[in-house]
Amino acid sequence: MKNLIATILCFFFAIASFLAQPNSPRKIQLVILFDTSNSMDGLIEQAKARIWAIVNETSNLRFQGLIPTLEIAVYDYGNTGISTPNWVRQQTPFTTNLDVVSEKLFSLRTSGGDEFCGAAIQRSLQDLFWSPDPQDLKLIYIAGNEPFNQGPIDFKSVCETVKSKGIFVNTIYCGDEVQGIREFWKEGATCSNGDYFSINSNDRVQHISTPYDGRIQEQNLKLNATYYGFGSLGTYNLSNQAVQDMNAITVSGAVAAERVVVKSKKAAYNNASWDLIDAKNSDSTVLKKIKEEELPKELQGKTLAEKEKFIADKAAERALIQEEIGKLAKEREAYIQAEKAKAVATKDDFGTAIAKSLKEKAKTIGYE
C-alpha cells in the first residue's frame, strides 16, 4: 500500500511540475547567417555538432526568474545555388520548432558564389518580425571568410538600422584573427556592440562522451512514445522528430544526448502546433477545436472525458521521463566539467563562440 501511495504521489507531483514551469513574456530571437560557399563545409559540420549545445545554453537563461521563449531563424548566403537577389536565402523564419531548425541545418549544401555580408544582414532585418521590446534579447550571428565589406549593401549603413532596433550583430570569421580584422569582420560586430570571433572552421569539434549518454538515449525512446500528432502537421512532424534524432546520432553520441536534454525541457522543446499533449498544456480547450478525423487514431471515437484522461495520463508519463532525463543531464554535465578541468584549454569553435557571446549579451539587458 505504501508503494502504491508513493507511486500515486509521484504521478501527481510530475503533473504539477510539468504544468508549473512558467514562461516569461520575454523572447530570445536568434538569427544565424551561414556562408555556404565552397570553403564552408567545415563550418556547417561544426554547426551540426553544436546546435543542441547552443539551445541548451540558451534554455538556462532566465529573466526575473522566468524562462524566455527562444525563436531561431536560419539563412544561408554566398552560394550560386541561391536564386534570390545577392545570393541570400531564408531557410526558416523565426520559429520555436527546433526540429525544423535542425532539418534546415542538416539540409545546407555548399557551392561557389559571392559572399555579401551587408546584404545578408539587411535581408534578415527586412524579412523577420523583430520584437520592438528592448528587454527581448535580439542577436544575429554571421559566419564566413570573405571581406565583410563586399557587395552592393554598405554594412555600415545596415549597422545603423541594427542599432536602432536594439539588435546585436556578432561576427564569426572562419580564418586567422588578424586577417578577419583586416577584412572588417571586427568592425562589422563592434559597430552594433556585438562580439567578434575567429575560428578554424576546418577543426573537428571535440566531444566528451559520458557514461550517461546511452541511458539518456534509452529515455529518449520512451519520451518519443508520448508524442501524439494531430492535424495536417502531426504526421510529418512526428516523422521529422525521429529524423532529427537520427541526424544528431550520426554526428556523435554526445550530440544526440545534448538533443535529448533539450527535449526534456518543456519550455525549450514545445510542439503545441502539432503534438496533442503540448497543445493541451497551452490551451485547455483544444480538444473541442480539433476535428475528430484530425485526432490521432488512439483518440478517435472516444468521449471527451476519455480523451481528457488519455492526455492527462500521457502528460504525466512524459513529465516523469523528462524528470529522469533532467537528473541524468545534471550528472552528465558534472562529468563533462570534471573532464574539461583536466584538459588543455581549446580554441573557440562555432558553437562555443555563440554560447559565450549569447550569455554575455543576455547579461547586459537583465537576463541571468
Side-chain angles (χ1 to χ4, degrees):
M1 179 61 75
K2 288 182 179 179
N3 288 339
L4 176 61
I5 292 172
T7 301
I8 292 171
L9 287 173
C10 185
F11 180 86
F12 283 108
F13 280 134
I15 293 177
S17 173
F18 186 76
L19 297 178
Q21 299 178 33
N23 274 36
S24 166
R26 298 277 65 81
K27 288 181 181 180
I28 297 174
Q29 294 185 313
L30 173 63
V31 181
I32 307 177
L33 309 174
F34 289 102
D35 176 354
T36 53
S37 61
N38 272 334
S39 56
M40 290 291 101
D41 292 284
L43 171 68
I44 295 170
E45 291 307 309
Q46 285 191 9
K48 292 176 183 178
R50 290 297 194 194
I51 186 63
W52 299 110
I54 292 169
V55 174
N56 266 319
E57 288 284 358
T58 307
S59 68
N60 292 329
L61 292 172
R62 297 291 182 269
F63 187 88
Q64 297 179 352
L66 300 179
I67 305 170
T69 298
L70 173 63
E71 298 178 346
I72 300 179
V74 176
Y75 285 75
D76 64 331
Y77 72 99
N79 184 322
T80 53
I82 300 172
S83 58
T84 48
N86 296 319
W87 297 280
V88 181
R89 172 170 52 195
Q90 183 186 87
Q91 291 289 339
T92 178
F94 281 133
T95 181
T96 58
N97 189 329
L98 298 178
D99 290 341
V100 167
V101 174
S102 176
E103 175 188 16
K104 295 301 183 181
L105 178 56
F106 276 82
S107 71
L108 292 178
R109 299 292 182 269
T110 59
S111 183
D114 294 317
E115 300 99 292
F116 299 157
C117 295
I121 296 169
Q122 183 183 73
R123 174 74 184 277
S124 71
L125 293 175
Q126 294 170 341
D127 284 354
L128 299 171
F129 181 73
W130 288 94
S131 167
D133 196 315
Q135 290 184 312
D136 287 337
L137 180 60
K138 291 161 284 191
L139 302 152
I140 294 173
Y141 288 89
I142 181 168
N145 69 344
E146 289 290 327
F148 202 81
N149 61 343
Q150 287 187 152
I153 308 299
D154 179 17
F155 79 88
K156 294 179 183 178
S157 64
V158 174
C159 187
E160 292 303 314
T161 305
V162 166
K163 287 172 66 176
S164 71
K165 292 178 178 288
I167 302 168
F168 298 107
V169 171
N170 307 278
T171 62
I172 304 173
Y173 182 71
C174 301
D176 177 72
E177 179 181 7
V178 175
Q179 179 70 15
I181 293 172
R182 281 201 298 265
E183 295 185 353
F184 303 100
W185 282 77
K186 185 173 183 179
E187 186 175 346
T190 55
C191 71
S192 66
N193 299 316
D195 295 322
Y196 165 65
F197 294 89
S198 65
I199 64 171
N200 183 345
S201 57
N202 292 318
D203 280 349
R204 292 183 62 85
V205 172
Q206 299 300 309
H207 300 290
I208 298 175
S209 298
T210 82
Y212 307 99
D213 296 349
R215 292 164 63 187
I216 288 173
Q217 281 302 319
E218 290 171 6
Q219 293 298 318
N220 186 52
L221 296 176
K222 298 177 184 178
L223 181 63
N224 283 354
T226 69
Y227 281 86
Y228 289 85
F230 68 91
S232 59
L233 298 174
T235 301
Y236 174 78
N237 280 287
L238 271 174
S239 173
N240 194 37
Q241 182 185 64
V243 170
Q244 301 318 313
D245 280 351
M246 188 54 63
N247 276 338
I249 289 170
T250 60
V251 179
S252 77
V255 173
E258 287 278 3
R259 171 171 161 81
V260 179
V261 172
V262 170
K263 290 170 68 177
S264 75
K265 300 177 179 179
K266 180 177 73 73
Y269 190 76
N270 188 311
N271 296 292
S273 64
W274 63 268
D275 168 60
L276 204 52
I277 283 76
D278 281 347
K280 182 68 165 57
N281 189 42
S282 297
D283 178 2
S284 61
T285 66
V286 71
L287 282 172
K288 298 176 182 178
K289 302 174 183 177
I290 302 174
K291 296 177 181 178
E292 189 73 11
E293 64 270 20
E294 292 184 336
L295 288 169
K297 291 181 180 179
E298 292 86 348
L299 293 182
Q300 291 181 15
K302 294 186 181 295
T303 66
L304 181 60
E306 288 172 329
K307 293 172 184 175
E308 297 274 3
K309 183 179 184 305
F310 181 92
I311 292 173
D313 289 346
K314 290 299 177 181
E317 182 183 343
R318 182 182 296 179
L320 288 172
I321 296 166
Q322 290 176 320
E323 183 181 14
E324 179 60 25
I325 295 170
K327 291 177 183 176
L328 291 169
K330 288 180 180 178
E331 295 180 89
R332 177 177 183 269
E333 183 60 23
Y335 182 95
I336 289 172
Q337 293 306 319
E339 291 299 303
K340 283 183 175 179
K342 303 175 191 175
V344 177
T346 57
K347 294 182 179 179
D348 286 323
D349 58 40
F350 174 82
T352 57
I354 290 183
K356 182 188 301 182
S357 166
L358 194 149
K359 286 188 289 186
E360 290 303 315
K361 289 293 172 272
K363 289 178 183 177
T364 66
I365 60 170
Y367 287 74
E368 53 193 24

